[in-house]
Amino acid sequence: MILTVTPNPALDVTYRVRALEPGESHRVEAPVVRAGGKGINVARVIAQTGGHALALATAGGVTGSRLSADLLASGLPHELVPVAAETRTSIAIVDETESHATLLNEAGHPLSVTEWEHLGEAADRLSIPAQCLVASGSLPADAPEGFFASLVAIARDRGIPSVVDTTGPGLVLAARAGANVLKPNRRELAETTGESDPLDGAAQLIGLGAGLVFVSLGEKGMLALSASDPSRPIRARLDTPLRGNATGAGDAAVAAIASCLVEGVRDPSAILSRAIAWSAAAVLAPVAGELAPGFAQLERRLVVTPA
C-alpha cells in the first residue's frame, strides 16, 4: 500500500470552454467537481493502474464535507483529519481550442497546532502497513516548514521509501531529511533553489541529501539526477509533445515513481520512463487524477538522452 499525505487538499472544480477570452463572459456547462489536491490525485492514479493507495488528508467546513462525500462515492481508500478551517477550492478552466488550462488555486487556511499534531500522528499510524510514503502539495498559511521533513523521518523509521512533491522551504528541508525522491517542476525548483538551470537546481537538492531528483520540464519531458551517480544525469521526453490539460501531470508522475519503488525498481531510467508515460497520459485525461487509456504504450515513444 502507498500512503499519500495531503495537508492542503482542495475541492477541484473544472470548467471547459471552447475558447477562453479574458475580460469576456462565457456560458459553460456544469463543471466537474471532485476531491483533489496532489496526494489525492496520486492515490487516484495508483488505484486506476491496479495499485493500492490510501489517501490521508484534512477536511473542514462545507467544502470539506463535499470533498469527503466525493471520496466516499469514489471508493478510494482514505482517512480525513477534521479541521476547523474551510477546505480550499481549486478552479481549472480548460480552453479546448488552445488545449491548455488556467488554474486558480486558493492558498488554504491555517491549521491549529493540535490539528497538525493529529495529521502527523495519523501519518505515523498509517505508515505501519505502507510500502511507500508520498507527501504532496502546498502547505497552508502558517504551516510548520518541517512537516514534510517529519514525514520523511517517519518513512525512514519504518524502512520504507519517501517521495516528496512540494516547493519552497518544505522541499529543502525534505532534502536535508534524506528524502528518497523529490519531484519539483522546473518553476518550483527555480523558486526554491534560485537556480535557473534545472540541472544545477537538482544538484543542489542532491547535495543537501536527497537520493533522487526528478524535475518536470513540461513539453520538454523530465530530468533525473541520482545521488549514486550525479555525474550522469538523464533526460527523457516524448517524440512529439502532447496537448491537453496538464493539471494532474505532475501527480501522475509521482504516482509512477511511487509504484516503481514499491515494485523494487530503482533504476532512474526505468522510473523516468514510467513517470513520463503516466504524466503524458494525464495530459490527455479530462480531469486531474486520471490517465487516458493506452498510458503503458506511451513508454515506446520516449527519447532518452544524457542531460
Side-chain angles (χ1 to χ4, degrees), residues 25 31 67 98 114 160 165 171 174 188 231 235 245 248 274-275 289:
S25 176
L67 181 142
E98 295 296 330
T114 300
I160 61 175
D165 179 11
L171 184 66
E188 293 165 341
S231 64
R235 190 189 301 255
N245 179 10
R274 184 180 298 181

Side-chain angles (χ1 to χ4, degrees), residues 19 44 73 75 91 142 276:
R44 288 187 190 274
I91 297 175
D142 300 324
I276 293 177

Side-chain angles (χ1 to χ4, degrees), residues 284-307:
L284 299 175
V287 292
E290 292 183 5
L291 302 184
F295 56 88
Q297 285 69 37
L298 288 172
E299 289 193 48
R300 301 172 187 169
R301 294 177 51 187
L302 293 184
V303 177
V304 182
T305 61

Side-chain angles (χ1 to χ4, degrees), residues 159-302:
I160 61 175
S162 57
V163 183
V164 178
D165 179 11
T166 190
T167 187
L171 184 66
V172 171
L173 293 175
R176 287 177 176 163
N180 294 87
V181 179
L182 300 178
K183 210 272 338 139
N185 63 35
R186 184 173 198 153
R187 176 184 55 79
E188 293 165 341
L189 183 63
E191 291 176 354
T192 299
T193 65
E195 299 286 354
S196 58
D197 185 327
L199 183 55
D200 292 338
Q204 186 178 128
L205 295 179
I206 291 292
L208 291 174
L212 266 169
V213 177
F214 292 88
V215 185
S216 297
L217 304 174
E219 291 184 349
K220 295 182 179 179
M222 191 174 295
L223 166 73
L225 186 66
S226 171
S228 62
D229 196 358
S231 64
R232 295 183 61 188
I234 51 176
R235 190 189 301 255
R237 57 175 176 79
L238 289 184
D239 51 1
T240 55
L242 300 177
R243 303 186 71 186
N245 179 10
T247 308
D251 304 329
V254 171
I257 292 166
S259 69
C260 283
L261 296 178
V262 167
E263 294 170 15
V265 178
R266 296 294 185 270
D267 176 21
S269 295
I271 300 174
L272 185 65
S273 295
R274 184 180 298 181
I276 293 177
W278 288 19
S279 180
V283 171
L284 299 175
V287 292
E290 292 183 5
L291 302 184
F295 56 88
Q297 285 69 37
L298 288 172
E299 289 193 48
R300 301 172 187 169
R301 294 177 51 187
L302 293 184

Side-chain angles (χ1 to χ4, degrees), residues 28-107:
V28 297
E29 300 295 331
V32 175
V33 181
R34 64 189 328 209
K38 283 183 173 292
I40 291 175
N41 292 338
V42 170
R44 288 187 190 274
V45 171
I46 290 168
Q48 180 187 345
T49 54
H52 300 284
L54 189 152
L56 172 63
T58 59
V62 175
T63 310
S65 295
R66 295 182 68 185
L67 181 142
S68 175
D70 179 71
L71 287 174
L72 286 170
S74 72
L76 183 72
H78 65 278
E79 181 170 320
L80 298 177
V81 174
V83 297
E86 188 84 15
T87 297
R88 68 194 178 109
T89 299
S90 177
I91 297 175
I93 305 172
V94 179
D95 184 318
E96 296 180 330
T97 300
E98 295 296 330
S99 296
H100 62 59
T102 299
L103 305 181
L104 302 174
N105 292 323
E106 295 179 6

Side-chain angles (χ1 to χ4, degrees), residues 56 79 81 114-127 147 151 154 158:
L56 172 63
E79 181 170 320
V81 174
T114 300
E115 289 165 349
W116 280 114
E117 291 174 350
H118 288 169
L119 183 59
E121 290 165 359
D124 190 34
R125 168 172 49 82
L126 295 172
S127 70
F147 181 74
L151 297 180
I154 287 173
R158 300 295 186 212

